Amino acid sequence: MLEALTLFHRWLALIVSVVVLVLALTGSALVFEGAMDRALNPRLWHVTPSGAPRSLDTLLARARGAVSSPVTGLTLPREDDRALVAQAGARQVFVDPFTGAVLGTRQLADYNSSLPRRLHVLHVSLVGGSIGGTIVGVVTVSCLLLVLTGIVLWWPDRIARVRWGASWKRVVFDLHHLLGIVAAVILVVITASGTMIHYESLGRVLQGERVKSPVVTGGGGLGVVSVDSALSLARAALPGARPTLVSFPAKDDQPLAVGMRYPEDRTPGGRSRVYVDAHRGVVLRADGTRGLPA
């Protein structure tokens, strides 16, 4: 049994090793995806803090004045020296939060051809397309199997030290066992979560019925609340969380969504959401990560 498992573990590792190396290197680079984009485009991203920021409604008006397409969302700056980004169709508008000046615009096609975005696409789907995405998904599941079978194969001998005076093959053998078991817990988390991210249907099965945005009823007649008012409602709904983005409704029966981020949340945009009725100025639902199931 162990001999067959060893052969399976060895050959599976050899087959997927090249793709795993690509995913590991690009995944490491993606930690700095935002930093790379800001470094390559300082004229769009960098601002000089001066006084209090302008109101979001003022910044939204400046962004709308720079493009013909409707603005569908805002990404709020995480740091004082960064620009606010408005999304308008296939174009991004960069606005200085302190002066309200439009720093420039960028087509999504230009962003998608940049180095950080190319690394992102390479990580999630290799050269792009459904075939590349399928390969990444299969390799991710294979990596999960490699970690689990590696733990099973390690257990009988439980090698936990390196014989440095032995042959180089033995040193490599010991290092593989030692480093593999030490990193096993982290690797299980990475590969299992990566599998859930890739296969959305599996994620929905594990987390139950998908949570949908609430529906606005009786819209119209009272006008649309300001962005600043919506953010005040979001802050009151989830105390301690900071607004990171605003998504405007495309239809009258859709809510305005505010992305929120708690200090302990390490994802850039946060995982919490507050849905606001843009006509009546009331919170329809608040999904904070501090109160949601694991």
Side-chain angles (χ1 to χ4, degrees):
M1 177 64 180
L2 285 179
E3 183 177 352
L5 192 61
T6 300
L7 287 175
F8 172 80
H9 181 87
R10 181 181 301 158
W11 281 104
L12 182 61
L14 288 173
I15 291 171
V16 303
S17 59
V18 174
V19 179
V20 170
L21 180 60
V22 172
L23 296 181
L25 292 175
T26 54
S28 300
L30 287 186
V31 176
F32 309 99
E33 181 179 5
M36 285 190 290
D37 186 35
R38 292 189 294 273
L40 293 172
N41 301 279
R43 67 177 187 85
L44 295 177
W45 283 104
H46 182 71
V47 303
T48 301
S50 56
R54 300 287 183 94
S55 69
L56 284 179
D57 292 288
T58 298
L59 301 178
L60 174 60
R62 298 291 177 88
R64 284 173 171 166
V67 290
S68 57
S69 303
V71 174
T72 57
L74 300 175
T75 301
L76 310 184
R78 292 181 58 189
E79 306 292 342
D80 290 341
D81 61 351
R82 296 181 192 174
L84 174 141
V85 183
Q87 189 67 49
R91 185 178 291 274
Q92 295 173 306
V93 184
F94 296 81
V95 184
D96 188 323
F98 299 95
T99 66
V102 175
L103 302 176
T105 64
R106 179 173 65 178
Q107 290 283 359
L108 283 181
D110 296 331
Y111 171 59
N112 289 333
S113 64
S114 65
L115 175 62
R117 190 60 186 173
R118 287 182 182 274
L119 289 173
H120 189 111
V121 173
L122 186 61
H123 181 73
V124 299
S125 60
L126 297 180
V127 295
S130 58
I131 296 178
T134 300
I135 294 174
V136 170
V138 171
V139 170
T140 304
V141 175
S142 300
C143 288
L144 177 59
L145 291 175
L146 284 173
V147 178
L148 296 177
T149 54
I151 294 173
V152 174
L153 293 173
W154 174 86
W155 186 256
D157 296 328
R158 291 190 283 280
I159 298 174
R161 66 187 181 91
V162 179
R163 298 171 178 85
W164 297 106
S167 67
W168 68 269
K169 289 185 178 181
R170 181 68 200 193
V171 172
V172 172
F173 182 83
D174 289 348
L175 282 173
H176 179 79
H177 281 72
L178 177 60
L179 297 178
I181 198 63
V182 170
V185 175
I186 296 175
L187 293 174
V188 167
V189 172
I190 291 175
T191 53
S193 59
T195 300
M196 286 187 61
I197 291 172
H198 183 81
Y199 297 103
E200 294 184 359
S201 57
L202 174 62
R204 288 196 293 270
V205 170
L206 293 177
Q207 65 181 320
E209 184 179 355
R210 167 169 268 182
V211 178
K212 297 181 178 180
S213 301
V215 176
V216 175
T217 58
L222 295 179
V224 178
V225 298
S226 69
V227 182
D228 292 291
S229 297
L231 260 64
S232 296
L233 292 170
R235 289 190 181 97
L238 295 179
R242 178 179 59 82
T244 59
L245 57 89
V246 180
S247 180
F248 299 112
K251 300 178 180 179
D252 283 343
D253 62 347
Q254 294 178 342
L256 181 148
V258 181
M260 306 288 285
R261 181 179 183 272
Y262 284 106
E264 68 270 15
D265 193 345
R266 297 306 177 186
T267 54
R271 296 295 185 187
S272 302
R273 295 292 181 270
V274 177
Y275 299 95
V276 178
D277 187 326
H279 299 283
R280 295 183 294 139
V282 295
V283 173
L284 300 174
R285 195 178 75 219
D287 298 334
T289 53
R290 290 179 177 178
L292 290 178

